[in-house]
Each structure stands twice: as structure tokens, then as C-alpha cells.
Amino acid sequence: MANNYSQGYFAPENPSKYIGSNRPKYRSGWELTVMRFCDNHPAVIAWASESLRVPYRNPFTGKETFYVPDFLITYQDKSGNKISEVIEVKPRGQAVLELAKSQQDKAAVVLNMAKWEACKAWCQRHGMKFRIL
């Protein structure tokens, strides 16, 4: 498994597939693995990193703000259908309340859940899927 703490910029081998406006930056080895997959997998038509801004209400402050998911990926399934997905890469400790160890970790999970619920609704309105890896 890739190092969870690696960070850097990704240089696509297939730059025509990358549709993001910013240079793709990975913040973990897991994100780097997803970038490599998107860049090299023949079914992936297009992908972007941190290209969307989804509005959501912060459950702690009550303020409207924005969530920036990790990836937007468009691929062709085995039947030839074009599918677009918004993907977030997170360790289980930041995604599952029962696995959060401290109060700070639990607060992070609650915040993530608010972001993800807003993103699921946004994706549904735009005919996309939402997935947490």
C-alpha cells in the first residue's frame, strides 16, 4: 500500500484525459494511487482533481460553505454506458463514527458526513454517482 503521508504533484502520462484546471496535487498515497489508476485505466475517459465546489451547511457553525471532493471521474462501463462519479478518498477513521478515537476525530467524521450528504444530493441532481473510497 502506498504511503499515507506522501504529498506532491502528479504528472499525467495521458494528459488529454485530465480535465482539471489545476495541476493535480495528491495529499496521500491513496490519492496518488487513484490518480495513477485514472491516468492509466483504458475505461477512464476523463478525470479531474479537486475541480468541484459543492455547497453545504457546516453542522457546527450553521454557516453555508463549500466542500471540494477529491475527484471527478468519467468512465465507460462494460455495457458502453458513460458514467460520471464524484469520489472522496478517506481513511476509515475519518469516515466511520465508531472508529473515531478522539472527540476531534468524531467531530471530523460528523463534518465529513454533512459534506457527503450534500454531495450525494448534488450528484443526484446532476445525474452522477458519489463514492467514498
Side-chain angles (χ1 to χ4, degrees), residues 99-133:
L99 298 177
K101 296 179 181 174
S102 68
Q103 287 299 93
Q104 184 177 355
D105 291 344
K106 289 177 183 177
V109 172
V110 169
L111 184 61
N112 284 335
M113 288 179 171
K115 292 175 183 179
W116 299 338
E117 285 304 313
C119 195
K120 284 178 197 174
W122 187 93
C123 286
Q124 190 172 34
R125 288 192 307 273
H126 290 87
M128 298 181 185
K129 295 181 178 185
F130 178 66
R131 183 188 314 222
I132 302 164
L133 298 179

Side-chain angles (χ1 to χ4, degrees), residues 12 19 30 35 49 53 82 92 100 111 119 132:
I19 58 170
W30 294 336
M35 288 179 181
S49 173
R53 288 172 38 107
K82 197 186 282 189
R92 285 186 181 269
L111 184 61
C119 195
I132 302 164

Side-chain angles (χ1 to χ4, degrees), residues 47-93:
W47 68 282
S49 173
E50 297 181 347
S51 64
L52 298 175
R53 288 172 38 107
V54 178
Y56 80 100
R57 184 175 304 281
N58 183 308
F60 300 111
T61 66
K63 293 182 181 178
E64 286 288 324
T65 188
F66 292 94
Y67 161 52
V68 180
D70 293 326
F71 298 100
L72 170 61
I73 299 172
T74 300
Y75 60 92
Q76 193 168 19
D77 70 10
K78 292 178 182 179
S79 300
N81 300 312
K82 197 186 282 189
I83 298 169
S84 293
E85 284 192 32
V86 174
I87 295 180
E88 179 67 27
V89 178
K90 277 287 182 252
R92 285 186 181 269

